Amino acid sequence: MDQPHTTAGTTALGGGSAGDRFDDEDYPAYSMGAAAEMLGVTPAFLRSLGTAKLIEPHRSGGGHRRYSRYQLRLAARARELVDQGTPLEAACRIIVLEDQLAEALRINASRHQAADA
C-alpha cells in the first residue's frame, strides 16, 4: 500500500530551526509512548499500522519510533474506523483513498484558480 503523504523536504530529527520544526506537521516529534497515550491506543496498534504500511515512523538515532502530527492524524482515523468495526487492512486502504482524493481535489482547485487568474 502506498504511503498517502510524502515527507519530501522534511529534515531528519536534527535539522531546521525550532520554529520550523514546531510548524512542520511532518516533523517526527512524538515517541511511540507519547503517541499511543495521545491517541488512546497501545504501542502494538501503532506497530500494526506500520506493518499495514499506513504509516512508517521515523527512527531516532537509537532506533526508536518517532511519529509526526500528520501520522498521528492518520492513526487517529484508523482507530476511529477500527472502533466502528472496520478490519485494520480495510481501514488503512480507506484512509489512503481518502488522502488521495483530498490531494486530487487540492490539485484541481489550484488548477482552477490558475485558470481563473
Side-chain angles (χ1 to χ4, degrees):
M1 189 177 309
D2 293 331
Q3 285 235 241
H5 184 75
T6 62
T7 56
T10 300
T11 57
L13 291 174
S17 72
D20 291 343
R21 290 187 304 259
F22 182 75
D23 293 334
D24 185 354
E25 74 171 7
D26 293 318
Y27 181 72
Y30 303 96
S31 68
M32 177 179 278
E37 184 177 330
M38 288 171 63
L39 297 171
V41 300
T42 64
F45 180 78
L46 291 174
R47 285 190 297 272
S48 71
L49 296 178
T51 301
K53 305 279 191 238
L54 178 63
I55 57 177
E56 186 169 329
H58 302 270
R59 296 288 181 150
S60 69
H64 299 283
R65 290 174 177 88
R66 304 286 297 181
Y67 296 90
S68 68
R69 289 185 307 194
Y70 177 77
Q71 290 171 324
L72 295 184
R73 280 197 299 279
L74 294 178
R77 178 70 175 129
R79 179 184 180 196
E80 178 183 304
L81 290 169
V82 169
D83 286 351
Q84 294 172 0
T86 306
L88 182 66
E89 289 290 330
C92 291
R93 185 67 183 143
I94 288 167
I95 294 164
V96 168
L97 292 171
E98 287 174 343
D99 199 72
Q100 289 172 343
L101 175 60
E103 180 65 16
L105 292 172
R106 277 191 295 272
I107 291 168
N108 283 341
S110 69
R111 286 183 179 163
H112 286 288
Q113 280 182 334
D116 291 342

